[in-house]
Amino acid sequence: MATRYLYLARHGHADALGNLTGTGREQARSLGKRLAHLPIRTVWHSPLPRAADTAHEIDLFLSGITSVAEAPELIDHVPYVPGLEETPPSWRPFFDGYSPEDAAAGHEIARSLTARFAHAPEQQNDEHELLITHAYPIAWLIRDALDAPPVRWLGLSSANAALTVIEYRPGALPSIGMFNDMSHLRPELRWTGFPKAPHP
C-alpha cells in the first residue's frame, strides 16, 4: 500500500523585509542535515523569498536528484476567517478588516492546498515530499488531517524550520507522525521570533 509522506516545515527566520537572516539559514541547514537520509524526491516551496531560500538551503543536503519547485498553494495566507460567534475573543482583533472577498480568496487557496497535497498517492510507489511554507498553511493541513472544524487552525503554531510529518494511505485516516519538532535545532535557534524570556 503506497504512502504519501508529507514533510512540512516553516521557513527559517526572516527579517522585516521577508529575507532569510543568518539564523534562518542555519536553521534551514540544520533541517537539511536531519532530512538528508530520507528518500525525498521533491521539495515544494511557497513563492515568497524566505521559503524559496529555505528550500534551496535544505536541498544542499539532500540526495542530489531532488527537484525544487514553487507551489502557489503554499503561499502565506489566512485559510479560514471564522464568524464572530466561533472566533475566540483573543483572536477577534486579528480578523478586523478582512473583507468577505479576502476571506473567500484565502479559503480557496486552502482548498487548493489540501486538494493538491492532502491525499494518498495515485501511483503504486511511496511519495516523499517536503513542503516549505508558513505557519498558517501548516496549521490548516494539521486541522484537515484531524478532520477538525475549520476554526481549529487557530492556535496551531509552528516554529521556524520545525518539522511536521503527515502520512496518507489509501483507505486510511491521515496519520500525524510529529508536529513542530525542533530537536535538530540548537536550543538558541528554537522559537525564533518570540520574545526572549528574561534572565534572573
Side-chain angles (χ1 to χ4, degrees):
M1 182 169 57
T3 300
R4 166 174 270 172
Y5 297 88
L6 277 190
Y7 306 93
L8 310 171
R10 185 182 175 196
H11 58 82
H13 180 256
D15 62 23
L17 298 177
N19 298 310
L20 280 189
T21 62
T23 293
R25 293 187 185 280
E26 183 179 350
Q27 290 169 325
R29 291 173 184 164
S30 296
L31 180 56
K33 291 173 186 175
R34 177 170 183 176
L35 299 173
H37 70 285
L38 296 172
I40 295 170
R41 292 293 174 265
T42 308
V43 179
W44 300 102
H45 62 78
S46 155
L48 298 179
R50 59 189 181 271
D53 290 346
T54 298
H56 288 288
E57 292 286 350
I58 290 170
D59 188 47
L60 296 172
F61 300 91
L62 300 183
S63 66
I65 59 171
T66 306
S67 66
V68 179
E70 180 179 301
E73 299 88 350
L74 298 175
I75 191 74
D76 197 7
H77 68 282
V78 171
Y80 175 75
V81 176
L84 185 63
E85 71 285 351
E86 61 181 336
T87 305
S90 62
W91 278 90
R92 287 177 185 167
F94 178 79
F95 294 111
D96 283 349
Y98 270 90
S99 69
E101 294 78 16
D102 290 338
H107 197 51
E108 182 57 36
I109 295 171
R111 283 193 292 264
S112 298
L113 174 66
T114 53
R116 180 169 183 180
F117 293 109
H119 56 81
E122 297 175 0
Q123 69 276 1
Q124 298 302 311
N125 298 321
D126 290 347
E127 290 184 2
H128 294 259
E129 297 172 285
L130 172 61
L131 277 54
I132 303 300
T133 182
H134 309 271
Y136 297 164
I138 294 171
W140 186 254
L141 286 166
I142 289 288
R143 181 222 59 83
D144 179 76
L146 294 172
D147 197 24
V151 71
R152 283 304 293 128
W153 73 271
L154 297 177
L156 292 170
S157 301
S158 291
N160 294 116
L163 181 62
T164 293
V165 181
I166 308 176
E167 301 172 16
Y168 300 91
R169 296 177 178 83
L173 294 173
S175 174
I176 300 172
M178 66 180 65
F179 171 64
N180 202 37
D181 186 89
M182 295 174 274
S183 60
H184 50 282
L185 300 175
R186 294 188 290 112
E188 55 269 31
L189 297 181
R190 298 174 188 171
W191 292 104
T192 305
F194 285 71
K196 292 185 178 180
H199 295 288

